[in-house]
């Protein structure tokens, strides 16, 4: 059985300035043998990005629910995720047109994962990321922060040239995070080092042995308290979604 928990908290800047959390996560368990995980991060400069992030995640998840099946190979599953990204972007465009809004006010990132307890098929647009714990005990970052040389993020609307997709098997735990946590899990200062992942932090979130819903709920509460206090220098919203 696969368990999952998620935490999404507003950053300190948002709390001080009464700005809503612009991160969003959602999941669906046991959809044709897969769990579907989605995490999105609305851009702080976009005034409707909390709506954009919710639309991005929920529409991508809905698309996958309708199209995935247990007997599909990884090539087809990856194509479904790619199409889910297209569907998600189109849904946001339609919402902007309905409200006579500039779509740039809805800008958001998107991470999407299918996990069956062994295989992870993933897609990513933006500066969040996907991290896995493999059966051999090693941690692997599957994605890279997608930013330009000035540090500006490539969002979902940057298009397919900036989206990344892939698959990996022999996975026991998967984590999706927005950049508020991803920058601590995979600090840029470590990018040229042999080990690029903050293993102690990743282990705290991912190397779990809870085996019932009650213990997973307690884990979620503990992680929430932890992220409320750490790291104190982060102004950004903080979101993680973990399956194990």
């Amino acid at each position: 059985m696969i368990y999952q928990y998620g935490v999404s908290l507003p950053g300190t800047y948002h709390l001080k300035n009464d700005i809503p959390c612009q991160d969003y996560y959602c999941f669906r368990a046991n959809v044709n043998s897969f769990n579907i995980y989605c995490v999105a991060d609305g851009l702080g400069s976009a005034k409707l990005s909390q709506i954009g992030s919710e639309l991005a995640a929920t529409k991508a998840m809905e698309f996958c629910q309708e199209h995935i099946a247990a007997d599909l190979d990884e090539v087809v599953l990856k194509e479904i995720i790619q199409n889910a990204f297209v569907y998600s972007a189109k849904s946001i465009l339609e919402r902007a047109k309905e409200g006579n809004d500039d779509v740039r006010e809805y800008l958001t990132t998107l991470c999407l994962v299918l996990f069956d307890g062994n295989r992870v098929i993933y897609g990513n647009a933006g500066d969040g990321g996907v991290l896995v714990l493999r059966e051999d005990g090693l941690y692997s970052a599957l994605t890279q922060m997608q930013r330009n040389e000035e540090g500006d993020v490539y969002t979902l609307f940057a298009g397919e040239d900036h989206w990344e997709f892939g698959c990996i098997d022999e996975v026991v735990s998967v984590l999706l995070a927005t950049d508020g946590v991803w920058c601590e899990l995979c600090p840029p200062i470590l990018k040229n080092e042999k080990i690029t992942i903050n293993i102690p932090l990743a282990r705290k979130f991912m190397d779990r042995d809870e085996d019932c819903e009650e213990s997973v709920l307690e884990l979620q509460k503990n992680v929430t308290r932890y992220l409320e206090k750490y790291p104190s220098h982060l102004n950004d919203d903080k979101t993680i979604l973990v399956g194990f």
Side-chain angles (χ1 to χ4, degrees):
M1 183 174 181
I2 303 173
Y3 293 98
Q4 50 274 318
Y5 72 93
V7 176
S8 189
L9 298 171
T12 55
Y13 178 82
H14 286 203
L15 290 171
K16 290 178 181 178
N17 294 277
D18 197 28
I19 300 172
C21 181
Q22 293 163 319
D23 287 0
Y24 189 85
Y25 78 85
C26 57
F27 65 87
R28 288 291 182 272
N30 197 24
V31 179
N32 291 321
S33 300
F34 285 98
N35 284 18
I36 307 169
Y37 303 125
C38 297
V39 165
D41 178 4
L43 264 63
S45 59
K47 66 179 181 180
L48 299 174
S49 65
Q50 73 272 19
I51 299 174
S53 61
E54 181 175 354
L55 281 171
T58 55
K59 292 301 181 180
M61 186 182 64
E62 289 172 7
F63 187 92
C64 288
Q65 279 183 275
E66 294 177 4
H67 292 88
I68 62 173
D71 59 349
L72 298 177
D73 64 31
E74 292 175 351
V75 173
V76 175
L77 290 168
K78 191 163 65 171
E79 289 176 352
I80 289 172
I81 289 181
Q82 292 172 323
N83 289 332
F85 273 53
V86 174
Y87 178 74
S88 185
K90 286 183 177 179
S91 298
I92 296 173
L93 281 169
E94 291 173 0
R95 174 61 178 269
K97 289 179 180 178
E98 289 173 2
N100 197 28
D101 300 316
D102 188 332
V103 72
R104 289 174 293 185
E105 300 297 346
Y106 292 83
L107 292 180
T108 181
T109 69
L110 178 62
C111 284
L112 170 60
V113 161
L114 307 179
F115 181 44
D116 65 1
N118 174 57
R119 291 184 296 169
V120 163
I121 303 94
Y122 64 91
N124 183 55
D127 55 1
V130 181
L131 187 67
V132 295
L133 171 58
R134 306 193 321 238
E135 290 180 359
D136 58 11
L138 297 178
Y139 291 84
S140 296
L142 303 185
T143 61
Q144 297 182 354
M145 298 184 77
Q146 298 168 25
R147 293 176 176 174
N148 63 23
E149 294 180 355
E150 288 73 38
D152 299 320
V153 60
Y154 289 115
T155 70
L156 176 64
F157 287 95
E160 297 185 39
D161 289 344
H162 296 286
W163 298 347
E164 54 184 334
F165 304 95
C167 53
I168 186 174
D169 57 13
E170 299 182 349
V171 171
V172 297
S173 181
V174 59
L175 177 148
L176 296 75
T178 58
D179 65 320
V181 181
W182 188 256
C183 285
E184 299 300 313
L185 284 165
C186 298
I189 196 172
L190 297 180
K191 66 179 181 179
N192 296 320
E193 302 296 327
K194 183 177 181 180
I195 298 176
T196 61
I197 299 168
N198 182 345
I199 300 298
L201 183 59
R203 184 177 294 120
K204 180 182 293 291
F205 296 145
M206 302 177 67
D207 191 2
R208 311 305 311 180
D209 57 6
E210 283 78 8
D211 58 1
C212 67
E213 295 292 347
E214 291 79 7
S215 60
V216 174
L217 180 59
E218 187 62 28
L219 168 63
Q220 180 173 332
K221 292 178 180 179
N222 290 337
V223 171
T224 300
R225 288 191 288 266
Y226 181 81
L227 288 177
E228 284 174 339
K229 299 177 180 179
Y230 172 89
S232 59
H233 65 275
L234 279 181
N235 287 324
D236 204 357
D237 298 333
K238 295 172 282 189
T239 298
I240 63 169
L241 180 56
V242 180
F244 63 94

